[in-house]
Amino acid sequence: LEHFYKWKQQQEIKKIDPNIPVIMVSGVTDEAIAKSTIELGAYDYVRKPIDFDYLNTTILMKLLQA
């Protein structure tokens, strides 16, 4: 259910502006869910507990692409 709610949030964000990068943060560790989230348009999928070094690097990489 948590994954479905986050997926709906991602859809709503993309409706506002499809160019907004979405980084999904979740405690769900299922690799298939992470893969499907990215296939549905998320820039990345970060698992909890959050590795802030990884998250910061992910954000920086996206900003450098802009």
Side-chain angles (χ1 to χ4, degrees), residues 43-66:
Y43 176 70
D44 203 351
Y45 186 92
V46 178
R47 292 172 184 85
K48 293 178 184 175
I50 299 170
D51 176 346
F52 285 100
D53 289 333
Y54 178 80
L55 181 59
N56 287 336
T57 300
T58 300
I59 293 168
L60 180 61
M61 293 297 290
K62 187 58 184 173
L63 288 172
L64 290 173
Q65 287 180 358

Side-chain angles (χ1 to χ4, degrees), residues 10 32-42:
Q10 178 179 327
I33 290 176
K35 184 177 178 181
S36 69
T37 300
I38 291 171
E39 288 172 354
L40 290 170

Side-chain angles (χ1 to χ4, degrees), residues 5-53:
Y5 177 68
K6 290 177 184 262
W7 178 74
K8 291 296 284 179
Q9 287 177 323
Q10 178 179 327
Q11 282 187 319
E12 292 302 315
I13 291 168
K14 292 296 184 176
K15 281 183 195 175
I16 294 168
D17 184 345
N19 297 315
I20 294 174
V22 174
I23 299 173
M24 192 69 67
V25 178
S26 178
V28 177
T29 59
D30 186 332
E31 195 67 35
I33 290 176
K35 184 177 178 181
S36 69
T37 300
I38 291 171
E39 288 172 354
L40 290 170
Y43 176 70
D44 203 351
Y45 186 92
V46 178
R47 292 172 184 85
K48 293 178 184 175
I50 299 170
D51 176 346
F52 285 100
D53 289 333

